[in-house]
Structures are given as structure tokens and as C-alpha cells.
Amino acid sequence: LEKLGFPSELIFSGYDVVDNDYFSTQAAQARHAPGQFQHLPGLNDPSPFFLASSRFVPRKNLDMLLRAYKSYSELAPSPWRLVILGDGPERTGLQTLVDREEITGVTFAGFRQVEELGAYYGLAAAFVHVALVEQWGLVVNEAMAARLPVLVSQTTGCTHDLVVEGENGFRFDPSDTGMLAQRMAQISSDPSARLCMSHRSQEIIANWPIERFAEGLWQALLAGSSRLDRPFNLAIRLA
């Protein structure tokens, strides 16, 4: 916004938030009673898994995730599973890729209602988001509120604010399958580091509650009210 000519004093942040308490509570309940969710696809197996959640469209880059997961599975002595939530026009193509490349350990769990998401976050071991283009990526907020380490593409907007490299997860190039495979191997091979990352995720996302959105919006309204009698400069009007 500053590059577009907006004055820094008229820029307010905080819009990209979710109900942290909801996802934290739902995830904790699932961890406490995992047997209640065995009927859901991918949750009838107690072994650890990576979780991804997105629409099945090209910019979400899920074919890259599947190829990276295959490479990871060949690297790791005891690879985690991969559970993917969502649906969309690329569903058939992605399933074909799994079949053709003989990628084992993948579950397409379909579109899930919000009441079921907490169980997936709570029982997952880490979250992966591989989008090529993403303005923010609220699913990362949800995963972090559920106390998950995160692997997030560096082209996802939230990485600058939410992913502290090596502390609560890792960034990666969404075009580099080898890099993501190595990150997956790294995060799945060190339980103590993963536990530290889990707690760090929850600490970081605690700074992004719904109240942050409310405060940012209120400050923007106050700033706008004080400038009602002033003309906007040319750059702002063009933008």
C-alpha cells in the first residue's frame, strides 16, 4: 500500500483472523477423545499425518504437494500419511495422479463442515499449505490455533506475519518439490522439535485474535472520519 502512495498512518492491519478459541477448543477435544471421530475419512488410523485443506483448483498447487509427498515417502523410514480436505474441479485429475504414480498413504477426505474441521486439526501432526498464489491463507491461522507446526509456501501472504522460520514451521518454494519433501522429512523426524513448534504456533497466533480485526477496523474508521473534509491524493484515487 505504501508503494501505491498510501500514507502509512492510514494503513491498518488485523483483517486476516479467525476464531482462535473455537479451533483451539475443538482440536483439544478431538485429542482427548479421538475415538469419537473414527467415522471421518482419514481419522480411523491412529498413525500421524500431514494435513492440507484447500479448494481443488490450479493455484492451490495440490499436484505439487502430491509429488513432494511421494518424494518424502521415499526418503523417510516411517513416513506419515497425508490427508487432504476439500474438493473442486481438479479432484479427478489429482486422484488420477495418485493412481498413476502409485502414491500410497494419501486420503482425500472431501469437503468437511466447520464442525468437523477441529477433529482433523486436532489429530493431525502438522499442516501443509502449498498455494502458488494466496492473499493470506486463513487455514494457516486455523491450524496454528489448533497448535500445529506449519509448512507454508513463501508465496502465501501470511508467511511474513505468521511463520517464523524454524520456530513454528518452515517456508518453502512452491515450485520446488525436493525442498518441500526435505521439510516434511525434517518436521516428521524430530518429535521434540515438533512439540516446541506446536506451542510456538499457538503463541504466535494468539496475537491475531478477532479483537485485532475489530481494533484495526475501528482505528481505520476513526482515521477516515477525521479526513472526510480532505481530498484524497491522486495515487489513492487511482488505486
Side-chain angles (χ1 to χ4, degrees), residues 52-65:
S53 178
S54 71
R55 290 181 61 221
F56 288 13
V57 293
R59 71 179 180 88
K60 297 296 187 176
N61 204 26
L62 293 174
D63 55 340
M64 179 272 193
L65 172 59

Side-chain angles (χ1 to χ4, degrees), residues 10 12 26 48 65 77 82 91 93 99 102 121 128-129 134 159 163 175 184 221 225 231 233-235:
L10 295 182
F12 303 91
Q26 294 295 309
L65 172 59
L82 173 63
R91 173 66 181 263
D99 296 339
E102 298 181 345
Y121 286 127
V128 188
H129 195 64
E134 191 81 86
T159 55
V163 183
S175 66
M184 295 173 88
L221 287 168
S225 298
N233 67 40
L234 179 61

Side-chain angles (χ1 to χ4, degrees), residues 74-161:
E74 294 167 350
L75 286 173
S78 300
W80 291 356
R81 297 180 295 119
L82 173 63
V83 176
I84 305 177
L85 305 180
D87 209 340
E90 293 220 315
R91 173 66 181 263
T92 300
L94 293 170
Q95 184 64 66
T96 299
L97 175 61
V98 168
D99 296 339
R100 184 179 67 244
E101 299 291 330
E102 298 181 345
I103 306 173
T104 59
V106 178
T107 299
F108 291 104
F111 173 79
R112 314 314 305 183
Q113 297 294 337
V114 67
E115 295 82 6
E116 300 170 325
L117 292 180
Y120 283 95
Y121 286 127
L123 299 177
F127 187 78
V128 188
H129 195 64
V130 296
L132 290 169
V133 179
E134 191 81 86
Q135 291 86 350
W136 181 265
L138 288 173
V139 288
V140 179
N141 296 57
E142 295 171 0
M144 289 174 59
R147 211 178 69 200
L148 287 179
V150 292
L151 298 171
V152 186
S153 67
Q154 61 196 28
T155 49
T156 297
C158 70
T159 55
H160 303 287
D161 294 288

Side-chain angles (χ1 to χ4, degrees), residues 29-30 32-40:
Q29 290 176 352
H32 179 70
Q36 295 181 9
F37 305 97
Q38 290 183 347
H39 64 285
L40 294 174

